[in-house]
Amino acid sequence: MSTATRTEEVPGTGTTIRLPAGDGGWREVELAEPRAWTPHPQPHTARVAFAAAHVIVDPRGENVPGAPAVVDWDATLAFRRHLFAHGLGVAEAMDTAQRNMGLDWAAAAELITRSAAQAKEHGARIASGAGTDHLTVAPHQLTATEVGASALEQVTTAYLEQVAHVEGAGSQVIVMASRHLAAAARGFDDYRRVYETILTQVAEPVVLHWLGEAFDPQLAGYWGSRDVAEATENFLSLVRAHADKVDGVKVSLLSAEHERGLRAALPEGVRLYTGDDFNYPELIEGDGEHHSDALLGAFAAIAPAASAAFSALEAGDVEAYRAEMAPTLPLSRAIFEAPTFHYKTGVAFVSWLSGLQDGFTMVGGMQSARSPLHLARVFELANTARLLPDPDLAAARMQLVLDTAGLRP
């Protein structure tokens, strides 16, 4: 199934910006007219849809590699209100928020507490990540110094501590993939032991997150095998045994074929939340028998367009749904291109271009993780999708990046 593309031309403002091309040349890009997106303050009903949101840092903080995160709470929570205003729930403190890439547990815990309170105030959905990243021992050290039951007990205890915090904040739990468990487990029996302990103790059904190694190389071989088919069967056996405690599974393997097969094999009532930022329009639309719900970092960058697409789906207009989604897909694929785990830079960049934050600075200095040429492509595709509410502001900010990099025609 392919997603239809728009045939009409994007209306322009008449103002242009020169962007660098990969061949050493330059290309002239006309700024698109901003679109008046329709707000949707109530959660969408056609699909359950979460946007995995990033954090906005305090520019006065020492947000350098290895330093504790210093968050601009006002701007970060305002960004979540932006998502709520378009009918999207928030997947909080996930990899988009730089968990395991700079956002320490102290900041993540406060983020979950603040965000859950705000979601309650706005009647919005929220689900938050519980992991093991507050353990003081690094994953490779756990493997070297701890073996067998002792290591798994540490991992289990860490998970349960974070689960308790998420539940206490009033948020649904997303059980994140754990680097510590990936390092300590000797096979699927170890994964099953840890996850079964969690699932028997949670208060409400959770989302299980399978994050592929494209997003985090330290998670290679998760569920006890590097063979995806074997890992999938292991994963399914766990879900089937505890279906009453699993609201859904969030799978980020970037394979539409794998996702379609997995969702068809899930027990009745267990959702598949797509994490495929390369193929989400067709997976969310479905194949006539099954469809995916959504938990996507891409939605943080394309929230107004995703909302318009869901509104079309709720009205039964599949062609309009496809037309709304189509311009967002090239943008998402650019943001998530290899190395995929640096996609957070693109999400923060689009937020800055859109005027949703004052500066382009990230936890751990990750604003430097993508090149100016990559950012120029992201700018152009966001412009084509009409996702820049103030094109002149966006162009001025793009020009700042080019000037700082020494890129001049």
Side-chain angles (χ1 to χ4, degrees):
M1 182 188 305
S2 61
T3 303
T5 57
R6 289 182 183 273
T7 56
E8 70 269 21
E9 290 188 7
V10 175
T13 63
T15 302
T16 62
I17 182 173
R18 299 196 77 189
L19 298 177
D23 60 3
W26 293 80
R27 62 190 187 280
E28 203 85 17
V29 174
E30 184 179 9
L31 302 184
E33 284 281 358
R35 178 171 163 181
W37 300 96
T38 302
H40 194 290
Q42 300 303 316
H44 282 287
T45 57
R47 302 288 187 268
V48 178
F50 292 100
H54 73 301
V55 293
I56 301 169
V57 302
D58 184 340
R60 296 179 181 271
E62 288 290 329
N63 286 293
V64 296
V70 184
V71 178
D72 181 334
W73 293 113
D74 289 342
T76 294
L77 294 175
F79 185 82
R80 280 133 183 84
R81 292 194 295 275
H82 158 72
L83 298 175
F84 297 155
H86 291 291
L88 301 177
V90 166
E92 192 56 273
M94 301 294 291
D95 47 301
T96 306
Q98 295 181 248
R99 289 289 288 276
N100 293 308
M101 290 190 72
L103 188 76
D104 53 286
W105 171 241
E110 184 171 358
L111 177 63
I112 291 165
T113 299
R114 288 174 176 259
S115 193
Q118 186 168 253
K120 182 178 180 181
E121 179 184 341
H122 287 264
R125 297 186 179 99
I126 186 166
S128 305
T132 64
D133 50 323
H134 65 296
L135 284 172
T136 56
V137 61
H140 70 278
Q141 293 171 325
L142 186 67
T143 305
T145 61
E146 300 284 351
V147 295
S150 177
L152 297 179
E153 286 167 4
Q154 287 190 58
V155 170
T156 303
T157 298
Y159 260 133
L160 292 174
E161 288 171 354
Q162 291 201 13
V163 165
H165 179 83
V166 173
E167 290 182 335
S171 171
Q172 185 179 13
V173 174
I174 302 172
V175 183
M176 300 176 69
S178 165
R179 288 178 175 180
H180 291 93
L181 181 54
R186 299 296 183 266
F188 176 60
D189 284 345
D190 288 346
Y191 284 91
R192 178 162 44 205
R193 173 181 168 183
V194 170
Y195 275 86
E196 285 187 339
T197 301
I198 297 166
L199 291 172
T200 56
Q201 296 190 37
V202 293
E204 300 291 340
V206 304
V207 177
L208 298 181
H209 188 189
W210 183 357
L211 189 66
E213 61 183 297
F215 289 90
D216 188 343
Q218 293 189 50
L219 298 176
Y222 213 75
W223 304 116
S225 178
R226 287 179 175 265
D227 179 80
V228 173
E230 182 180 352
T232 300
E233 283 306 312
N234 291 341
F235 181 53
L236 276 168
S237 71
L238 176 72
V239 175
R240 289 166 179 155
H242 300 278
D244 61 323
K245 288 298 185 75
V246 180
D247 163 57
V249 300
K250 195 271 189 180
V251 182
S252 302
L253 298 186
L254 302 179
S255 169
E257 180 181 4
H258 177 268
E259 180 167 322
R260 284 190 289 267
L262 176 59
R263 75 185 180 193
L266 288 171
E268 185 177 355
V270 176
R271 302 176 185 274
L272 195 149
Y273 291 97
T274 187
D276 190 336
D277 301 277
F278 289 170
N279 302 292
Y280 56 87
E282 64 182 81
L283 292 167
I284 293 169
E285 180 182 334
D287 55 18
E289 186 174 0
H290 301 98
H291 67 262
S292 298
D293 292 284
L295 197 163
L296 288 161
F299 278 7
I302 67 161
S307 180
F310 284 124
S311 292
L313 205 57
E314 285 154 4
D317 191 340
V318 175
E319 290 303 318
Y321 164 84
R322 293 173 179 172
E324 295 289 6
M325 282 296 198
T328 73
L329 194 55
L331 171 61
S332 181
R333 288 177 173 174
I335 289 173
F336 284 81
E337 70 183 19
T340 300
F341 46 80
H342 286 323
Y343 77 88
K344 297 91 171 171
T345 303
V347 171
F349 184 62
V350 173
S351 175
W352 180 56
L353 292 177
S354 302
L356 296 170
Q357 59 190 76
D358 291 335
F360 179 42
T361 308
M362 298 175 66
V363 173
M366 289 298 294
Q367 69 274 7
S368 65
R370 294 294 201 185
S371 73
L373 265 67
H374 172 90
L375 297 177
R377 292 197 303 275
V378 170
F379 169 90
E380 184 173 5
L381 292 166
N383 178 64
T384 300
R386 301 179 70 187
L387 285 166
L388 303 176
D390 185 339
D392 290 333
L393 173 67
R397 290 183 168 183
M398 183 72 249
Q399 192 63 56
L400 284 174
V401 172
L402 299 177
D403 289 345
T404 302
L407 283 165
R408 297 182 181 87

